[in-house]
Amino acid sequence: MKKTLLMLVAVLVYCTAYSQITPGLTNDFEDGTTQGWSNGGSSPNPPTNVPDGGPGGAGDGFLEEISSGGAGPGSRMVVFNRESEWLGNYSVVSDFTFDAKVPTNEDLFIRVAIEGGSDETSICTTNAVTVPAQSDWNNYFLSLDPSAFTIIGGDNTIEETLADVTEIRIIHSTDPAFIGESIDATLHLDNIFVTGPIGSVEDQLAATFQMYPNPAVNTIQVSAELEMEHYVVYNLLGAKVAEGVIEATQKQIDVSALQSGTYLIEVMAGDQTTTQKFLKQ
Ligand SMILES: [Ca+2]
Ligand SMILES: [Ca+2]
């Protein structure tokens, strides 16, 4: 079954290198780069890769973005990405998840903003997630469903914009916006991960698979509208840390023995496989 995951990873790597956004896209900042996240041209404080101190501790790289407050380049809390792996048709993905912490003194209201469509329409998540001041690492979710967005500017519909994305941004803003707010703050990001039905809607497992709670403490409940046979849990290094039979449409899986951190659970049903991320607290 590990072979299946490796094949999946290989497909995702291939797709992300040469194609458009796909479920499973991950930016974990383990390659020493910002993986395309940028402030643009004249910023005096562009995002940087910090090699130590991510959610995994020593040796876990993460992205640090600093905004200076005031006015001018670098004043606003915003990072954008125009790498091809982040562009294209977002109808195949469902959630934008990430680990974040704020070492500075003000709460940040983090949103995803997107530009796309023939009219370069800009949209932003209607709701923000609050990353508290002086917080430790936590996992956050923002839906990428059209119903989760508000139009900021332009004449395309939200659906048209999400079908042809040309830029994605992570911003801090009290209200939906396309440019982040000016603030003197620092944001740490890691394990940016895009979930979604792997394959298409005819993949009944991926389309109906559910898992909760996430983050999990002692157990996670998995369910789907067809009988699942088997599950495997991997850590982010790809090592198998747990497995078991399901042989039902739902099961409580004991994860109490896992160390705190981020894991992937792979569930098999016939020739269908789905892989989702969860956080163990
Ligand atoms: Ca990392
Ligand atoms: Ca900056």
Side-chain angles (χ1 to χ4, degrees), residues 230-242:
H230 188 79
Y231 72 91
V232 183
V233 178
Y234 298 94
N235 65 24
L236 288 184
L237 301 175
K240 185 192 296 184
V241 295

Side-chain angles (χ1 to χ4, degrees), residues 28-30 55 60-62 190-191:
D28 61 10
F29 307 105
E30 298 310 299
D60 185 6
F62 66 91
D190 201 4
N191 300 318

Side-chain angles (χ1 to χ4, degrees), residues 118-122 151 153-158 160-161:
S118 56
D119 195 48
E120 298 183 343
T121 296
S122 54
I151 293 180
D155 288 335
N156 294 117
T157 64
I158 292 171
E160 288 167 345
T161 307

Side-chain angles (χ1 to χ4, degrees), residues 52-76:
D52 268 307
D60 185 6
F62 66 91
L63 187 75
E64 178 176 82
E65 160 61 9
I66 294 170
S67 54
S68 61
S75 59
R76 296 172 180 274

Side-chain angles (χ1 to χ4, degrees), residues 205 224-229 246-250 268-270:
L205 175 63
E225 288 179 6
L226 72 172
E227 182 171 317
M228 299 170 285
E229 290 145 11
I246 302 177
E247 293 180 347
T249 57
Q250 61 177 39
M268 280 68 76

Side-chain angles (χ1 to χ4, degrees), residues 99-115:
D99 295 333
K101 68 178 283 191
V102 170
T104 44
N105 293 327
E106 290 187 67
D107 294 351
L108 294 184
F109 308 115
I110 300 299
R111 302 169 184 274
V112 167
I114 280 170
E115 185 174 76

Side-chain angles (χ1 to χ4, degrees), residues 39-241:
N39 281 166
S42 58
S43 171
N45 51 19
T48 55
N49 183 298
V50 180
D52 268 307
D60 185 6
F62 66 91
L63 187 75
E64 178 176 82
E65 160 61 9
I66 294 170
S67 54
S68 61
S75 59
R76 296 172 180 274
M77 178 59 75
V78 51
V79 289
F80 69 81
N81 203 317
R82 295 174 188 153
E83 295 290 316
S84 61
E85 65 180 6
W86 279 103
L87 308 184
N89 185 353
Y90 275 50
S91 68
V92 301
V93 297
S94 62
D95 287 301
F96 182 95
T97 83
F98 57 100
D99 295 333
K101 68 178 283 191
V102 170
T104 44
N105 293 327
E106 290 187 67
D107 294 351
L108 294 184
F109 308 115
I110 300 299
R111 302 169 184 274
V112 167
I114 280 170
E115 185 174 76
S118 56
D119 195 48
E120 298 183 343
T121 296
S122 54
I123 61 177
C124 181
T125 55
T126 308
N127 296 316
V129 291
T130 301
V131 183
Q134 310 236 337
S135 53
D136 202 349
W137 287 105
N138 263 304
N139 190 242
Y140 298 90
F141 293 78
L142 285 165
S143 173
L144 296 172
D145 189 83
S147 64
F149 285 89
T150 296
I151 293 180
I152 306 301
D155 288 335
N156 294 117
T157 64
I158 292 171
E159 286 80 3
E160 288 167 345
T161 307
L162 286 169
D164 178 25
V165 171
T166 53
E167 179 177 315
I168 181 169
R169 299 179 169 200
I170 301 169
I171 68 171
H172 153 74
S173 181
T174 309
D175 300 306
F178 193 58
I179 42 177
E181 286 177 10
S182 171
I183 187 170
D184 179 357
T186 298
L187 173 64
H188 291 171
L189 295 167
D190 201 4
N191 300 318
I192 299 170
F193 185 81
V194 177
T195 70
I198 291 172
S200 55
V201 288
E202 65 263 23
D203 186 333
Q204 192 187 2
L205 175 63
T208 65
F209 182 76
Q210 292 190 314
M211 174 176 69
Y212 66 89
N214 190 4
V217 180
N218 291 316
T219 63
I220 54 172
Q221 165 112 0
V222 296
S223 65
E225 288 179 6
L226 72 172
E227 182 171 317
M228 299 170 285
E229 290 145 11
H230 188 79
Y231 72 91
V232 183
V233 178
Y234 298 94
N235 65 24
L236 288 184
L237 301 175
K240 185 192 296 184
V241 295

